[in-house]
Amino acid sequence: ECSGLASFSIFHPDEYMQREHKEYFTPLMFEIFQIKPDVIIATWYSTDILELFKQVKEKIGIPIIALWWDSVSATQSFMAESFLPYVAFNIIPDSTMSYSSSSKPEKYLSLWTPEDPRIFNNPKLERNIDISFVGTIGNHPERRGCVNALKEAGIKIVQTGGQRENNLTASDYALVYKHSKIVLNTSEFSAGGLQQLKGRVFEATLCGAMLMEFSNPETSKKFQPGIEYVEFVDERDLAQKTKYYLDYSDELTKIAQAGQKRVEQDYSAIKFWNAVFERLIQK
């Protein structure tokens, strides 16, 4: 919506089934026939939708694109492969390696998380939070260790849960980052410790905070370490670097501004959808 590149209609199969206590196949197929969209973008991760995909492909010919937010999970990786016969391609925003062993790697498009600039932006608010982390830490030992290490070092960190735990709206979530000098991020995926390019990377930098990120091969492919964000290798390194950049605010500001410039120029929502539509046209 924020890109202005297309109009859209949303159908949530899970919400429909909970509300109507009926299967979603027929009403969704009816809506597709009625609207006749130029493209269908699927984020419903269940193999029971494959029959609908087959019908759409054979009877209507509307191209289908699947978007996988957690492609590094074994479940989504398996399903993404199952979708290949029916989709024009799979979009992967969180990894450059999750499809490296795919039977058809050419049917994957590696991008990033597109963020709404109306929510995630830098309105020049007072940066009265030294460092923050917004997200659950209970099932993430890496996150919990980082937060505890900062507290033990005497660094004031604002840590709060996200939408599920604290019912933060997207605007309230973004507001924490707009007031933060530094935003902490870890790249591990909860299942198996795999590395993942988190949406928090783009949310924090768009809001003008300096990103402090665990060293990993995904984020460093999008941003320059030490120039557009700061890497740390362990909890001790995190605490030392946080203290350093809080003491040397000019360096902190310079890196934060460079990170914001990079995400605005190269990883905007408009560029994301332009890349998707260009790939679709090529098909």
Side-chain angles (χ1 to χ4, degrees), residues 37 41 52 105 111 114 208 211 216-217 225 250:
I41 298 177
L52 183 141
L111 292 175
L211 176 68
N216 72 87
D250 288 347

Side-chain angles (χ1 to χ4, degrees), residues 32-222:
I32 292 171
F33 267 104
Q34 187 177 44
I35 297 175
K36 294 183 176 60
D38 295 314
V39 60
I40 296 171
I41 298 177
T43 57
W44 176 246
Y45 307 133
S46 175
T47 53
D48 64 7
I49 204 172
L50 295 182
E51 180 58 33
L52 183 141
F53 285 177
K54 181 180 178 182
Q55 296 292 328
V56 169
K57 184 176 181 179
E58 293 178 353
K59 296 182 178 180
I60 316 177
I62 297 173
I64 301 168
I65 300 169
L67 181 54
W68 304 90
W69 295 113
D70 290 318
S71 70
V72 296
S73 76
T75 301
Q76 286 202 16
S77 179
F78 170 79
M79 285 193 291
E81 287 291 292
S82 301
F83 278 37
L84 288 180
Y86 309 100
V87 300
F89 53 91
N90 285 321
I91 301 174
I92 306 296
D94 67 320
S95 173
T96 58
M97 297 297 294
S98 61
Y99 56 92
S100 59
S101 61
S102 169
S103 60
K104 294 184 178 179
E106 70 278 4
K107 292 195 72 172
Y108 286 81
L109 178 62
S110 179
L111 292 175
W112 57 88
T113 305
E115 303 294 351
D116 190 336
R118 297 169 300 183
I119 298 173
F120 295 97
N121 53 53
N122 182 8
K124 308 298 183 182
L125 298 177
E126 181 186 0
R127 300 278 172 182
N128 51 15
I129 297 174
D130 286 340
I131 184 168
S132 67
F133 180 82
V134 183
T136 181
I137 64 173
N139 296 323
H140 298 266
E142 189 176 48
R143 298 177 181 180
R144 188 168 58 252
C146 288
V147 170
N148 290 339
L150 289 170
K151 290 180 178 179
E152 290 170 3
I155 297 168
K156 294 180 179 180
I157 178 171
V158 171
Q159 189 277 316
T160 181
Q163 293 174 325
R164 294 184 182 91
E165 293 178 338
N166 289 71
N167 296 317
L168 291 179
T169 65
S171 296
D172 288 340
Y173 171 83
L175 192 60
V176 177
Y177 293 162
K178 293 175 185 179
H179 282 291
S180 298
K181 299 173 185 176
I182 302 171
V183 169
L184 169 66
N185 186 46
T186 62
S187 59
E188 96 290 358
F189 185 70
S190 57
L194 298 173
Q195 303 300 309
Q196 185 178 38
L197 182 64
K198 301 287 188 180
R200 192 180 292 104
V201 168
F202 305 97
E203 295 161 350
T205 48
L206 274 172
C207 288
M210 189 188 83
L211 176 68
M212 182 77 77
E213 166 75 275
F214 230 122
S215 177
N216 72 87
E218 294 293 344
T219 305
S220 60
K221 290 178 182 176
K222 300 292 185 185

